[in-house]
């Protein structure tokens, strides 16, 4: 009876280890997929890094454009330096 209990405990321990390995493999696959998705916007980041200058008279346009740039920075598509350069260009401080 003792051998059966030890064998059963070993079986359960083996199953738990197998489930843990499967969970880790699944998590690694999800992380890889997220990294691939994240790589596509990062490759496209230089395009929004050089925004077209907004006319100085359109005050609402500048505010909207600054909000768009801030969203791109928050999303990781623009670095802080790229954001600062684009903001300076929009505000006429080249």
């Amino acid at each position: 009876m003792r051998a059966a209990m030890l064998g059963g405990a070993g079986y359960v321990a083996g199953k738990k280890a197998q489930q843990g390995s499967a969970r880790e493999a699944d998590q690694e696959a999800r992380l890889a997929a997220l990294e691939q998705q994240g790589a596509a916007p990062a490759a496209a980041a230089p395009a929004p890094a050089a925004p077209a200058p907004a006319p100085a008279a359109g005050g609402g346009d500048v505010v909207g454009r600054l909000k768009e740039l801030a969203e791109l920075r928050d999303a990781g598509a623009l670095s802080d330096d790229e954001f600062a350069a684009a903001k300076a260009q929009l505000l006429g401080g080249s």
Side-chain angles (χ1 to χ4, degrees):
M1 180 133 160
R2 180 180 171 120
M5 287 178 60
L6 289 176
Y11 174 78
V12 170
K15 282 301 244 184
K16 289 286 185 186
Q18 183 182 16
Q19 289 171 348
S21 295
R23 260 192 306 251
E24 286 180 20
D26 184 45
Q27 187 176 16
E28 289 295 325
R30 283 193 224 152
L31 286 174
L34 287 174
E35 287 173 354
Q36 286 176 352
Q37 288 175 356
D61 254 351
V62 173
V63 172
R65 189 71 179 130
L66 284 172
K67 287 181 181 179
E68 289 176 19
L69 289 170
E71 289 174 5
L72 287 171
R73 180 197 58 203
D74 294 343
L78 291 177
S79 69
D80 288 337
D81 292 336
E82 292 169 330
F83 172 77
K87 178 180 163 185
Q89 186 179 10
L90 278 173
L91 297 177
S94 297

